[in-house]
Amino acid sequence: GRRIVSNALAACWAFQSWGNDPDNFHKDMIWSIQQRLTDTENDPAVAERYDLYTWKHRGWGFSVPTFPPVIAVDSRTQRQYDDYNLPAQLMDRYALDWLRVEWAKLLTDNRLPADTWPILITATPVLGFKPIEAVQNWTLRVTKKLLLFFIKKYFFFLPWSQGAIDRSLVNIMDIESWTANKRGYKAFFDTLQTRMKLPGCVFISGDVHYTFSAQGEFFCNGNNFTCLQLTSSALKNMPSEYNQKLLEKIGNTVCKGKCGVRFALNKQKRWTMSSILTNPQKERSPIRTDCNVGLVQFVDGRPITYTLLKQGNQPAYKFKDCSEDDEPTE
């Protein structure tokens, strides 16, 4: 299992990451991959070095000095587990520090205006589809309590069984949403709002096999942080016909108003994150399940329209009126 992950990271380095940011990879790591590929005797020491260099490399993300600037966030290899058996924080404090450094580089090197909204590429949506995420989190809590009840009542209870149940449920339900770990969720938005002092941002994501657009607002300590979520997924591998109809029906009936996440131990630590789905023009449901490619148009660094390119009609999410004189950039 460890070698499979090492090989995946090495493939990512060779075919994508090295081209994104060549200076980010140390010569010793490159040499360890070359040494492993040319090792015909399967030397354990060479294999161990290969695993260590690929696993311990930090910072697979990168930034692009466009306008607005783009930062591709690594939320896969730098997670933090408050409890190994429960959903992780998708970015630990070192990853959040990396994000701050990338933004500082973009600001100083390109002399960006103070009101610039950066584009953050995240694997999964930061503003997720709340009904799906709520069902996952609720099912995890309820199923866990039921299983523990039956284990205690009918079998001899073992202390390690609770952790095993948690871990199995998280894996079975594939819980990888940002909101699954509220401590990490708040830390991420604290970094964007307080430490990076962003006026707002645009999240671009995929990986969920349906498409939507949402506008969110993070509120903490009397301050608001506005953001947009644009999700295009996927080029292939559509949901089943039943799941397509279910998702669109949920989008039509449940998501008419704001959905919120609240975590409040006391008044000083109270925060809210609310989001509302955007309906595409001339379309009834805010959720799309057909394969598409998302095309975003910007004017003065702000997203204006988000069009889903696909066969047949092409739905578009419009965020504000754009005059004919404006020249959008794509």
Side-chain angles (χ1 to χ4, degrees), residues 71 73 96 99-100 103 118 120 126 185-201 203 218 225 227:
I71 304 177
V73 174
L96 295 176
L99 183 60
R100 293 173 59 193
W103 178 240
L120 301 184
V126 177
Y185 197 59
K186 181 179 185 294
F188 178 61
F189 275 101
D190 275 344
T191 299
L192 300 179
Q193 180 188 47
T194 306
R195 299 180 183 275
M196 295 169 62
K197 294 181 171 54
L198 296 179
C201 69
F203 299 114
F218 176 77
F225 179 82
C227 51

Side-chain angles (χ1 to χ4, degrees), residues 29-244:
M29 176 182 169
I30 299 173
W31 170 243
S32 71
I33 296 174
Q34 292 175 325
Q35 192 178 35
R36 172 64 183 164
L37 290 173
T38 56
D39 178 24
T40 58
E41 299 179 359
N42 200 24
D43 185 345
V46 171
E48 177 69 13
R49 174 178 174 171
Y50 169 69
D51 288 341
L52 283 172
Y53 267 103
T54 51
W55 275 69
K56 299 304 179 182
H57 177 78
R58 297 188 67 89
W60 292 87
F62 62 95
S63 60
V64 184
T66 53
F67 183 73
V70 176
I71 304 177
V73 174
D74 173 18
S75 59
R76 298 291 194 188
T77 70
Q78 300 185 83
R79 299 183 176 185
Q80 177 176 325
Y81 288 85
D82 306 318
D83 184 326
Y84 178 70
N85 302 303
L86 295 175
Q89 300 184 37
L90 298 191
M91 296 181 72
D92 63 14
R93 64 188 182 93
Y94 300 104
L96 295 176
D97 284 343
W98 171 88
L99 183 60
R100 293 173 59 193
V101 169
E102 289 298 306
W103 178 240
K105 285 163 41 179
L106 290 166
L107 274 179
T108 56
D109 293 348
N110 301 281
R111 300 186 180 278
L112 296 173
D115 61 346
T116 301
W117 284 31
I119 300 171
L120 301 184
I121 300 176
T122 61
T124 55
V126 177
L127 304 181
F129 185 37
K130 291 299 188 294
I132 299 296
E133 293 184 354
V135 166
Q136 284 183 326
N137 296 333
W138 180 85
T139 302
L140 175 63
R141 292 196 297 269
V142 172
T143 307
K144 168 184 167 181
K145 290 183 181 296
L146 288 175
L147 287 174
L148 287 175
F149 170 78
F150 283 109
I151 288 175
K152 288 179 179 179
K153 186 173 182 179
Y154 297 106
F155 302 98
F156 179 70
F157 180 73
L158 297 175
W160 53 263
S161 61
Q162 179 171 343
I165 290 171
D166 292 341
R167 186 164 61 251
S168 298
L169 290 174
V170 169
N171 291 335
I172 290 171
M173 292 187 289
D174 193 24
I175 301 179
E176 284 194 324
S177 64
W178 288 81
T179 57
N181 187 304
K182 291 185 174 62
R183 181 180 297 175
Y185 197 59
K186 181 179 185 294
F188 178 61
F189 275 101
D190 275 344
T191 299
L192 300 179
Q193 180 188 47
T194 306
R195 299 180 183 275
M196 295 169 62
K197 294 181 171 54
L198 296 179
C201 69
V202 180
F203 299 114
I204 295 181
S205 311
D207 199 38
V208 290
H209 306 292
Y210 48 86
T211 298
F212 65 93
S213 168
Q215 180 168 338
E217 189 174 79
F218 176 77
F219 179 81
C220 184
N221 296 327
N223 297 315
N224 289 323
F225 179 82
T226 303
C227 51
L228 291 175
Q229 174 69 62
L230 311 178
T231 306
S232 174
S233 181
L235 284 172
K236 54 192 303 185
N237 192 18
M238 291 171 58
S240 65
E241 185 176 351
Y242 172 79
N243 287 339
Q244 291 181 46

